[in-house]
Each structure stands twice: as structure tokens, then as C-alpha cells.
Amino acid sequence: MQQLFRQIPSLDSLLKQPQAVELCQQFAYSTVAEQARLLIEQARRFISQHHSIPHFIADENTFFMMLEEKLQNLSKVKIRTVFNLTGTVLHTNLGRGLWSENAIQAATNAMQNNVALEFDIEEGKRSHRDNYISELVQQITGAEAACVVNNNAAAVLLMLATFAQGKEVIVSRGELVEIGGAFRIPDIMAQAGCKLVEVGTTNRTHLKDYRNAINENTAFLMKVHTSNYHIEGFTSSVSEEELVALGKEFDLPVISDLGSGSLTNMQALNLPAEPMVQQKVATGVSLVSFSGDKLLGGPQAGIIVGSKEMIAQLQQHPLKRVLRCDKVILSALEATLRHYLFPEKLTADLPTLNLLTQSLETLQTKAEKLKEVLGKRLNSNYILQIEPSLAQIGSGALPTERLPSLAITISAEKQSDLLALEKQFKAFENPIIGRFSDKKFWLDLRSVAEFEGLVEMLK
């Protein structure tokens, strides 16, 4: 056994080899030395278990090939690009929406350069980092001002902490939503230090329920858009208009958590209706919060719009600094919002809206092309078909609505063959992510963004 251990070269001798010197130039001496040491330890364990020399010690070239592979893996980013063929366009687990070219350019510019983030160039003095967004939002929505934080949950937390700490917030029991990852509105309220007052029932809430719950400790009335579920049947809810009228009667503000937050009329794009931010602002709601990376089509952000006085108070709260966005996100968000100044070009410029509004004819052409490419790669164990599919927007937007789509379905006599194929798809440098349904593997064309890239990879 000792004779086998003696065949393992020393770390010093290995690091003096030309291959090691080259790797040290490419990476870093300390990292190369550490990874080489780990390989030597691996060799010692192998000898102890198998009483033989491992192949990467017997052959020096193999050792350095393995060492280089380890070093390459260390430098490789683990968040990998994937092809989304699940049929869910805004897939939270796959990063939600894609940025427009303008947003990418704006973000890249901010990464590579100093930008006037909190600097008024004309006045030559400090300004606020949300000013650019605030001016745009005023133009697009009619709101007086805006505040930007890192996501919509943060937006809700900031509103509650600023105006309701130690006070009561009245919400309909049917609107106490839980969003992804088990984050719940009541939990956010608890973190903000306010007391939740539930009114009504799960399926029916009336204006009198709010009225009866108001007292001297009420901070405001809150409306939460149930974006990720839908209650049907014997139901009743109170509109923002009614709440605003009640709020004026008692001098109480009304805030609205819209979740997805659309800035364009979805029905005009032949998509299911979704509440618009502009509509809520027009009703007189004091503050409206929504996401930047869902239907808006931009980077992850939480946007609060509404009363200039209340927005100013949000900006002054200590939590705002904790939750604020950096120059990259703000630049991308500004570029995204500027697309809304040219409404007729939205579906061409914003990838999310482009995917959602693709015609079935366009999807048919893509499906035929993908089927042809896959047909050349897969063996006779697999049966390929083009079938109608039902896609969805995703990320909590319009959960019960489905969009007509087309998919390549792959079936096989043995389920194990389909599982093996899925494993192969996931093993690509850019994995292909589909879905299983009806004993078939579905590749839905509506949700895939880089279709030509997918085809080239499969070729």
C-alpha cells in the first residue's frame, strides 16, 4: 500500500510542470494549487479503498485535463440559460420576463460607466435616484409621483411600515393572498408592525364590513388584487371607487396592491383583461403598488405610484434605503417604461408582450420547423406530433385564463424512454425545459424566446 502512495507525485513537482505553469497564468496560482491538492487527496482515498492507482495519477496528461476541467467549472456561472418550452411565459422559476433591447443597452451602459444616478446635471447638485422613473410614471399613469424598490412585496412592506406601524389595516378576508414561496400578506403586515383587521368572508365582502371595522386606530383601507387565484360562484367584493368614497368620508387613504400591474390594455392586444394601473390611479386610490418584471415587461422591481405627499414620506423612511434599487435596475426600468410612450410598438419591442401575442400561424411555422429538427435527432422509440396546447401568462397573472398555443408532443411506449429524453434535454449546455402531461412530454412554442437559438443547438 505504501508503495502505491509513493507513486503519487508531490504538489510542488506537479506545479512545476509546463501544463501547471500555463494553468497558473490562465487562472491563479493559489487556486490551481488548491485544486491540484484536492485531486491528490482524491487519489489517496482511491488507493485506500481500491488498493490500486487511479487513472489520473497513472497518466499525467489525464491529471492536468481533470485539473483544467475543475478550474473551468469554478469560473463558470452556474445560473444557466435555458429554453423555456413549458407554456408558461412569465415562469418565476425560470426568471420571469425578458428585457427589451433598449433595457439591456441601458443596463449595460450603467454597468460600464458612471451615470447621473443622484445628480442633477443642469443644476449641478444632488437629486433623487427615483426622479427619472417618477417623471415617466406621471406621464404614463397620471399619478403625481413614484417610488421604486426591489420588488412588489417590498413595496407593500414599505407602505405598511410608513403609514400603519402600530395601527390597523382593514382588508377583505377574500384578499389575504399568499404569493410564491409562502409569502403571505398577513406575514408582511406583521413584519411592518401593523395589525391586520379582516372583514367579510372568503367569498363575499360588502362596504358595510369596512365601515363597521373603522375606528380611531385605522391607518387605511387596503385592496389586494387576487392575481394568482380566482373565486367564482356566490361572490361579492368592494371596488376601489367605493373604498375611496368611504375613505374620504373618514379621512382615510386607500392603498391598492395590484401585483402584476399592467400599463396597457390587454384586451386591445386580444389578451384576457387585467386591471391597469392607470385605472386605479383615476379612481383616486392614494397609493398603488405593482411589479416591474411581470406584465410590465422589465426588470425585477416594485413600483409605488400615487399621492406626491405620501410618496415623499415613503422616500424618507429608513426602509427605503434598505429596499432601493441600484443604477442597473433603474436604468433598465426607465428604458422599459419609455416603450410605453409609443404604445403601437409595444408588442414588437417588449419580449413578454411579443410572446403573448404571437399568432397561431407563427406558432405553426415554428412547430413544423422544430418537429423536423427533432425528427432527425430522435430514434424510432419516440413519436412526434404537433398538437393544440393551452399556455398561460404565469407569475400570478390571470391564473384561470389560458392562451391558445401549439406544442410538439413526444410520446413513447416506455415512460422510462421519456424520462431519459428529458434528462438528455436538461444535459444540454442550454437545457430545454418542457412539461409532462397525459403521458407525453410537451414542448410549448408560445413561451420560447430564442427559437432560432434552440433550433441551431439541436442541429
Side-chain angles (χ1 to χ4, degrees):
M1 183 81 76
Q2 290 302 317
Q3 188 176 359
L4 293 175
F5 282 124
R6 281 194 289 270
Q7 293 183 47
I8 300 176
S10 69
L11 180 60
D12 286 343
S13 65
L14 285 169
L15 293 176
K16 290 175 183 177
Q17 297 299 318
Q19 299 101 309
V21 173
E22 188 176 330
L23 289 174
C24 288
Q25 292 172 346
Q26 183 179 351
F27 298 98
Y29 178 87
S30 60
T31 309
V32 173
E34 174 63 15
Q35 294 304 311
R37 184 184 63 78
L38 292 174
L39 278 175
I40 290 172
E41 288 181 2
Q42 183 180 333
R44 290 183 180 280
R45 288 194 300 272
F46 186 92
I47 292 172
S48 297
Q49 294 171 7
H50 303 283
H51 305 287
S52 62
I53 292 289
H55 70 286
F56 61 89
I57 292 297
D59 179 16
E60 193 175 79
N61 287 330
T62 303
F63 179 89
F64 284 109
M65 284 175 60
M66 288 182 66
L67 180 58
E68 183 177 6
E69 185 178 349
K70 282 178 171 290
L71 293 164
Q72 294 285 4
N73 283 334
L74 281 178
S75 61
K76 188 180 294 183
V77 176
K78 298 302 180 185
I79 298 179
R80 298 159 66 188
T81 301
V82 302
F83 291 104
N84 176 13
L85 288 107
T86 63
T88 301
V89 175
L90 294 173
H91 201 303
T92 297
N93 304 136
L94 302 181
R96 290 186 181 166
L98 308 175
W99 296 8
S100 71
E101 286 299 323
N102 285 5
I104 293 169
Q105 290 174 15
T108 303
N109 179 61
M111 291 178 201
Q112 295 176 332
N113 301 285
N114 291 119
V115 295
L117 180 66
E118 295 182 358
F119 185 74
D120 187 319
I121 296 174
E122 291 183 5
E123 297 289 333
K125 62 182 182 181
R126 183 172 182 169
S127 64
H128 197 283
R129 64 175 58 202
D130 289 354
N131 281 356
Y132 299 110
I133 305 300
S134 193
E135 291 170 6
L136 268 175
V137 165
Q138 184 179 14
Q139 191 171 353
I140 296 167
T141 70
E144 293 179 2
C147 172
V148 185
V149 289
N150 54 26
N151 59 34
N152 189 53
V156 174
L157 176 65
L158 181 60
M159 290 190 294
L160 293 170
T162 303
F163 299 108
Q165 194 166 38
K167 296 184 177 182
E168 297 179 356
V169 177
I170 303 174
V171 186
S172 167
R173 187 169 278 111
E175 296 174 5
L176 297 178
V177 302
E178 176 181 306
I179 58 177
F183 289 98
R184 299 174 174 180
I185 286 291
D187 296 337
I188 294 175
M189 287 191 174
Q191 289 298 317
C194 56
K195 181 183 177 182
L196 166 66
V197 177
E198 302 176 30
V199 297
T201 62
T202 303
N203 60 318
R204 291 178 69 80
T205 302
H206 306 282
L207 190 63
K208 64 181 180 181
D209 296 320
Y210 290 92
R211 180 185 294 276
N212 293 337
I214 294 173
N215 61 45
E216 68 281 355
N217 201 37
T218 302
F220 48 67
L221 310 176
M222 185 173 182
K223 184 79 176 171
V224 181
H225 176 47
T226 55
S227 58
N228 59 359
Y229 70 95
H230 183 65
I231 300 175
E232 293 183 343
F234 188 57
T235 63
S236 176
S237 62
V238 180
S239 68
E240 276 87 348
E241 291 92 338
E242 294 173 288
L243 282 183
V244 168
L246 181 63
K248 287 180 179 177
E249 186 179 334
F250 288 87
D251 195 25
L252 288 173
V254 176
I255 69 170
S256 177
D257 170 12
L258 262 190
S260 298
S262 175
L263 290 179
T264 191
N265 184 349
M266 303 294 280
Q267 286 183 301
L269 303 177
N270 296 316
L271 294 169
E274 176 77 2
M276 292 175 63
V277 176
Q278 294 93 320
Q279 294 169 339
K280 304 308 175 187
V281 171
T283 64
V285 172
S286 300
L287 295 173
V288 183
S289 73
F290 53 98
S291 297
D293 59 338
K294 295 182 181 179
L295 290 175
L296 187 77
Q300 178 178 297
I303 306 168
I304 307 169
V305 302
S307 155
K308 189 173 184 178
E309 180 184 343
M310 294 182 76
I311 292 291
Q313 289 179 258
L314 293 174
Q315 299 287 17
Q316 292 165 9
H317 195 281
L319 265 182
K320 173 61 202 306
R321 186 171 183 85
V322 176
L323 303 172
R324 71 182 185 180
C325 297
D326 72 348
K327 63 176 183 175
V328 176
I329 295 298
L330 289 171
S331 297
L333 181 59
E334 182 194 344
T336 303
L337 288 169
R338 289 198 177 280
H339 287 300
Y340 285 87
L341 302 178
F342 309 93
E344 288 80 11
K345 296 187 65 183
L346 279 175
T347 56
D349 292 339
L350 290 178
T352 294
L353 295 182
N354 183 270
L355 292 174
L356 291 173
T357 57
Q358 292 176 98
S359 68
L360 287 175
E361 290 76 15
T362 298
L363 296 179
Q364 179 71 32
T365 301
K366 291 181 177 180
E368 290 171 359
K369 191 170 184 178
L370 182 58
K371 183 185 177 187
E372 179 185 355
V373 173
L374 284 171
K376 293 176 180 178
R377 297 297 303 271
L378 301 182
N379 60 39
S380 57
N381 291 347
Y382 300 101
I383 300 170
L384 299 177
Q385 292 180 295
I386 298 175
E387 295 191 48
S389 177
L390 292 174
Q392 60 182 354
I393 294 175
S395 288
L398 301 165
T400 61
E401 301 287 348
R402 293 294 181 266
L403 306 177
S405 185
L406 290 173
I408 304 296
T409 62
I410 308 174
S411 54
E413 281 192 24
K414 298 179 181 177
Q415 186 72 6
S416 58
D417 286 341
L418 280 183
L419 293 173
L421 180 62
E422 184 199 25
K423 189 174 181 180
Q424 289 180 44
F425 282 163
K426 288 181 177 178
F428 282 122
E429 184 176 352
N430 302 125
I432 297 172
I433 311 297
R435 72 175 191 268
F436 279 100
S437 180
D438 299 327
K439 297 182 179 180
K440 297 177 183 179
F441 191 62
W442 293 67
L443 300 174
D444 194 303
L445 279 302
R446 185 170 292 283
S447 56
V448 62
E450 294 294 332
F451 178 75
E452 293 303 326
L454 169 67
V455 170
E456 286 304 310
M457 183 184 74
L458 288 172
K459 284 181 178 180

